[in-house]
Amino acid sequence: MTESADSFVVDDRLRLFSFATAEKRADYLRVLRAFEHARTGYVVLLHAGEVAEILARTDGGDTLTGVEIGPLLEQLHTWGVLERSYDGTRAATLAEYRNRHYVYQFGQVGYQAYRAVEDVLAARPEDASLSRLVLPELLADLEDLAAANLAGDADLVYRKLDRLDTALNDMATRAAHFYLSLGDLVRTTDVTPESFLAHKDALLSHMREFSLDLARFGPKLTAAIERVDATGLDSLLDRVAASDERVFLSREERRADWAGRWTGLVHWFTSTDGELTESDRLREGTMSAIAAVLSLLRRVTETRRGGVSRESQLRHLAGWFASAPSEESAHALFGAVFGLGRPRHLSMVHPDDDIIPTTRSWWDAPPVEISRTLAETGRPPAAGAPARVHRNDAGVRRLREEQLSVQRRRSQAARSLAEHGVYERDLTNEETDVLLGLLNAALTARVPVSGRVGSSTGSEGGVTLTLAPHEQSTVVRTERGLLHLERLSLTIGARR
């Protein structure tokens, strides 16, 4: 039942875009633009005659009459883009009253569908850019937000938090648009070397400056977020919910909405559980984009130097096919160029020709082993220069950060063991791992000895475990269970 309802909602929403693909889509768009023009003057209700008047003033082409606009309005109402209501006050005579005058206005989702179409029509891929200058504005707004929360100014808290949410969403949207356009540039074959070389310096400089600013402002923004948290997050959310003027939402719903927005803002610049922040991911994406642009630059430079590209080769080959004297000649050319007319392994023979001669049928002969290179590329293996090593620098940095995070947690667990001991409390998972490692080192010697684990640097902050005989068995409580030591006792202290 739920799936059926969801499917109905999806179909109903998609039906809103029918005007963009209909036969009279240009007329539908002109009518909707007339409603948009009236909306800027705070007029929302229009009838067919008023739409015709607006089009006569604003549209430079052939204007539509009220008779022609009426069916268009009805169809837009059927699709759900416009809402229709009856206005009897517009009737001047009894006949007009009986004919029922209708007025129309944008529906809420209908207006969103219209704006989506207009945004697509007005989109300019060449305008894609990274919003580098928004970073200092974010920092200033966070500092003002902390001061406003301390002062108890609810309206200023709302304005600053709303500015932060809008600016951050704009930066994320612009970054996604920029890298989408950049990916099209790297993959396309339509770009000319001249146009690319004319803008490559500005493009590389733009991305490098954004990456440097992101790295420079990242710690500052993290510290500013912590200062805002220190002023009281609960009071901040209460104030912003009180100043939020969305009357159709309850105070609890507004507070929950702003709490989610603040969590998203914190996740942008503050790491949790050692994971990469959104700003870190954006910086890595920028560095990968710089590498892709440099690779494209190298290909374009080599193409200009050699004068031969994949495109020119295919065009030249297409000319050969077009000038082939007969169909048989074209087939022969195809076989010579692509070599797809016969199996690629026909030239392979059995290593011992005396045992398996080449004249034996494939049905009777055993399979011939071929190299992986021949199977995948159609070329026999040959000694040559080693293939280029593709380094995944982003992955290496991510793994290194995870490794350092694990070492820091183990170092903290080791210091906790040295400070609080192992008895009379429950050990955490990290403390249990450190303890088991020390026990393994001590028990390996088979005598009461000391094992040691170093800090994350391997030179400071270590601890020492002493394993000694005891009159009674001892028990260590951990989150995983109880660790029984038969007639043994543990002593853990800081390494000297």
Side-chain angles (χ1 to χ4, degrees), residues 410-411 414 417 434 437-438 451-455 460-465 495:
R410 286 183 63 86
S411 178
L417 288 175
V434 175
L438 293 171
R452 185 177 65 190
V453 59
S455 67
E460 295 181 0
V463 296
T464 301
L465 177 143
R495 178 167 59 90

Side-chain angles (χ1 to χ4, degrees), residues 193-251:
E194 290 76 17
S195 63
F196 174 74
L197 294 175
H199 299 91
K200 59 96 177 175
D201 289 333
L203 182 62
L204 291 174
S205 177
H206 182 62
M207 289 190 293
R208 288 196 181 101
E209 290 177 358
F210 178 77
S211 178
L212 291 175
D213 284 353
L214 201 59
R216 181 161 57 93
F217 279 96
K220 297 179 181 180
L221 291 168
T222 301
I225 290 174
E226 293 175 353
R227 287 194 294 270
V228 174
D229 282 333
T231 62
L233 182 58
D234 291 335
S235 60
L236 183 144
L237 294 177
D238 291 337
R239 292 187 178 105
V240 73
S243 298
D244 193 341
E245 297 180 344
R246 289 179 291 179
V247 296
F248 294 105
L249 296 179
S250 65
R251 186 185 182 93

Side-chain angles (χ1 to χ4, degrees), residues 360-379:
R360 183 171 298 181
S361 171
W362 286 3
W363 297 104
D364 302 328
V368 176
E369 295 184 0
I370 61 175
S371 66
R372 182 175 181 178
T373 303
L374 180 62
E376 293 181 351
T377 66
R379 297 187 300 270

Side-chain angles (χ1 to χ4, degrees), residues 238-302:
D238 291 337
R239 292 187 178 105
V240 73
S243 298
D244 193 341
E245 297 180 344
R246 289 179 291 179
V247 296
F248 294 105
L249 296 179
S250 65
R251 186 185 182 93
E252 291 75 15
E253 290 174 335
R254 296 196 298 266
R255 191 183 191 280
D257 178 52
W258 283 109
R261 298 189 192 188
W262 176 255
T263 301
L265 189 148
V266 171
H267 183 64
W268 250 90
F269 301 102
T270 303
S271 177
T272 57
D273 299 332
E275 297 181 356
L276 291 178
T277 63
E278 291 299 320
S279 61
D280 293 334
R281 297 179 188 275
L282 183 55
R283 189 166 63 250
E284 287 188 0
T286 305
M287 300 306 296
S288 300
I290 291 175
V293 171
L294 292 176
S295 177
L296 177 60
L297 174 62
R298 183 171 55 254
R299 295 200 305 269
V300 170
T301 305
E302 292 175 354

